Amino acid sequence: EAGVAQSPRYKIIEKRQSVAFWCNPISGHATLYWYQQILGQGPKLLIQFQNNGVVDDSQLPKDRFSAERLKGVDSTLKIQPAKLEDSAVYLCASSLGSVLTGTSGPLSYNEQFFGPGTRLTVL
Amino acid sequence: EDQVTQSPEALRLQEGESSSLNCSYTVSGLRGLFWYRQDPGKGPEFLFTLYSAGEEKEKERLKATLTKKESFLHITAPKPEDSATYLCAVQYPTQGAQKLVFGQGTRLTINP
């Protein structure tokens, strides 16, 4: 089974430039996540899609970050304009599970499968 | 506020020297606690999910346990290939949705 694909693997840009990352999740996975992982820290969820709808983007800096999930499959994450503090690894993950909207009911998150990440350096 | 804290930040062991990593959490209504392994330059790799206090899961030299406030990842007789960063994450309900928050990880080095 093919894993989560991400590209590019590395990107170096100057501050105030724009950059886009691409993710192709595992076939059939309904849920797609974008995480930001700063060196020495755990991943921080930026945005979560359920099929092609946004479920949670509460930690996405919407003044500069945007994301979309095309036809409920591939996804792109864009930063415009980039800042020095955006230097990090951007991880994409996918899972079969659907997301709860309430606090009761069946468990929501299935196992998340992560891609290799895109290492972004902003100079 | 810190909701998930892992300790120690880094741990260096000799091959065969058993130890434990800790993940403490302060969230309410835990729905699941996850352990991942992350090798340099790679995405996290799923290890275990624990759902309720008292639950234990094992995989090769690793055993994960869960209490109401923390989880432990026990490593028995580790080998150099067990060297990696180990991440825990907790899932909990908030504002009508489910959240998943990661700890900062424990960087484990096993010397031959």
Side-chain angles (χ1 to χ4, degrees):
Chain A
E1 176 182 88
V4 176
Q6 290 188 248
S7 68
R9 291 297 315 275
Y10 306 92
K11 190 74 177 179
I12 300 174
I13 61 173
E14 305 260 335
K15 60 183 179 183
R16 292 188 290 273
Q17 285 188 321
S18 302
V19 65
F21 312 128
W22 173 82
C23 173
N24 181 239
I26 292 174
S27 177
H29 279 195
T31 310
L32 185 147
Y33 317 79
W34 282 103
Y35 290 89
Q36 180 192 58
Q37 187 174 26
I38 293 172
L39 187 64
Q41 298 182 18
K44 182 182 83 171
L45 180 68
L46 293 175
I47 189 168
Q48 178 181 333
F49 292 94
Q50 176 71 19
N51 296 310
N52 61 352
V54 175
V55 175
D56 182 2
D57 63 357
S58 58
Q59 297 192 93
L60 186 74
K62 299 180 186 63
D63 58 333
R64 299 184 298 107
F65 286 63
S66 64
E68 61 179 0
R69 189 175 184 192
L70 306 172
K71 300 179 181 178
V73 182
D74 292 7
S75 178
T76 56
L77 176 69
K78 296 179 182 178
I79 308 175
Q80 179 179 13
K83 293 185 176 181
L84 296 176
E85 58 261 36
D86 298 331
S87 294
V89 174
Y90 290 85
L91 295 164
C92 178
S94 69
S95 67
L96 278 170
S98 59
V99 177
L100 289 179
T101 55
T103 57
S104 61
L107 291 168
S108 62
Y109 283 94
N110 285 21
E111 175 185 340
Q112 292 188 41
F113 294 83
F114 284 82
T118 297
R119 181 176 296 278
L120 173 68
T121 302
V122 182
L123 302 176
Chain B
E1 73 285 353
D2 288 333
Q3 296 169 307
V4 185
T5 304
Q6 292 188 244
S7 61
E9 289 189 8
L11 181 62
R12 189 178 294 271
L13 301 172
Q14 289 300 120
E15 183 173 2
E17 181 184 0
S18 301
S19 188
S20 297
L21 312 182
N22 178 264
C23 172
S24 63
Y25 58 93
T26 57
V27 303
S28 299
L30 179 78
R31 299 305 302 276
L33 186 142
F34 304 81
W35 281 99
Y36 288 85
R37 169 191 172 128
Q38 187 172 26
D39 292 297
K42 296 187 177 181
E45 175 188 346
F46 173 80
L47 293 174
F48 304 109
T49 307
L50 301 167
Y51 294 110
S52 58
E55 189 175 0
E56 297 183 355
K57 289 194 176 173
E58 289 188 64
K59 180 180 180 179
E60 296 180 356
R61 295 176 292 282
L62 301 176
K63 183 169 84 171
T65 61
L66 180 64
T67 71
K68 290 186 177 180
K69 293 293 185 185
E70 59 192 348
S71 176
F72 291 94
L73 184 65
H74 307 277
I75 302 176
T76 303
K79 299 181 178 181
E81 53 262 41
D82 294 322
S83 297
T85 295
Y86 290 84
L87 297 162
C88 74
V90 299
Q91 176 191 345
Y92 63 99
T94 179
Q95 298 178 333
Q98 295 285 321
K99 288 283 190 183
L100 186 69
V101 177
F102 280 83
Q104 81 279 18
T106 292
R107 190 171 63 255
L108 177 66
T109 304
I110 308 298
N111 295 318

